[in-house]
Amino acid sequence: MGQSGSSACPQVILMGLDSAGKSTLLARMLTGQVVTTSPTIGFNVGTLNLDKKTSLTVWDVGGQKSMRPNWRYYLDDCKALVFVVDSSDRERMPEAQKVLKKVLGEEKLRGVPLMVLANKKDVAKSMTIREVSTQLDLPSYKDRLWEIQACSGLEGLGLHQAFMSVNKLIKRS
Ligand code: G3D
């Protein structure tokens, strides 16, 4: 993926724990195909053309390991945060909750809308969005717009709709 960000196009940050499925879903949105992914080393970026009038530039900044000094640079023009969780991984929900809380504590993200993607909904016994919402303590975020949607990056389910909703959240904020 090249650096195809455009200043006219709203910038969206994609975050989440490693293995949540960020690279898979971004690759799926960008190419319509599942591509082989490897642990995110640099930041991936791509422009999603959702319809004729709607594009979003999405930065996949990885997970907590990417919270290195320069990651905050990417928050400057961030219009929405998309936080991806593996909804089939109950054990790591407390860790995801902590990371999300820390990220949202960033001054630069004050008032920025949040979309949580409850990924891997194709996996049997994955959590419902209600469960994920509770586990991540989403109702406590009263000072920002937030939404949660289920999706499967592997199968491509719910992704287009989720990013259209991200665009709506940006317009409402
Ligand atoms: P990351 O970029 O957040 O670190 P990846 O995560 O995109 O690398 O995905 C981690 C693993 O989860 C990959 O499996 C990938 O195929 C799988 N995965 C991603 N999205 C989904 C999904 O929606 N459903 C299912 N069932 N699996 C998914 P491997 O085996 O390559 O580690």
Side-chain angles (χ1 to χ4, degrees):
M1 268 178 281
Q3 296 215 348
S4 52
S6 142
S7 56
C9 182
Q11 312 272 322
V12 172
I13 298 270
L14 192 68
M15 280 197 93
L17 302 184
D18 54 287
S19 295
K22 300 174 295 297
S23 316
T24 304
L25 74 81
L26 189 56
R28 167 67 89 157
M29 287 295 287
L30 289 172
T31 65
Q33 293 169 13
V34 178
V35 300
T36 308
T37 56
S38 58
T40 310
I41 300 165
F43 295 162
N44 295 327
V45 61
T47 298
L48 307 184
N49 297 309
L50 295 169
D51 63 27
K52 277 185 188 164
K53 287 192 235 159
T54 317
S55 300
L56 295 173
T57 296
V58 181
W59 294 87
D60 170 7
V61 302
Q64 70 276 49
K65 284 182 203 141
S66 68
M67 287 180 160
R68 49 201 173 209
N70 68 344
W71 85 278
R72 288 181 171 83
Y73 168 78
Y74 293 87
L75 300 183
D76 279 341
D77 295 318
C78 176
K79 297 287 183 274
L81 178 75
V82 177
F83 192 79
V84 185
V85 285
D86 178 347
S87 59
S88 70
D89 192 346
R90 288 164 200 270
E91 282 185 7
R92 292 187 79 193
M93 279 292 152
E95 189 186 349
Q97 189 255 341
K98 266 191 209 153
V99 169
L100 178 61
K101 192 171 180 185
K102 186 169 177 196
V103 172
L104 292 180
E106 283 289 332
E107 182 59 31
K108 285 178 181 175
L109 290 183
R110 186 196 286 251
V112 165
L114 166 71
M115 169 62 79
V116 173
L117 295 185
N119 192 33
K120 308 197 187 181
K121 77 167 183 174
D122 57 287
V123 177
K125 293 190 183 164
S126 58
M127 283 178 275
T128 63
I129 52 172
R130 199 185 175 93
E131 282 176 280
V132 175
S133 171
T134 304
Q135 290 279 331
L136 294 180
D137 215 8
L138 297 184
S140 72
Y141 296 117
K142 297 187 195 305
D143 54 352
R144 75 178 72 234
L145 291 171
W146 62 264
E147 214 172 288
I148 180 166
Q149 290 199 17
C151 67
S152 167
L154 200 64
E155 297 185 345
L157 296 171
L159 296 179
H160 188 267
Q161 191 190 349
F163 281 94
M164 287 300 280
S165 298
V166 169
N167 192 55
K168 280 191 196 143
L169 283 174
I170 292 171
K171 287 195 169 145
R172 279 170 58 203
S173 66

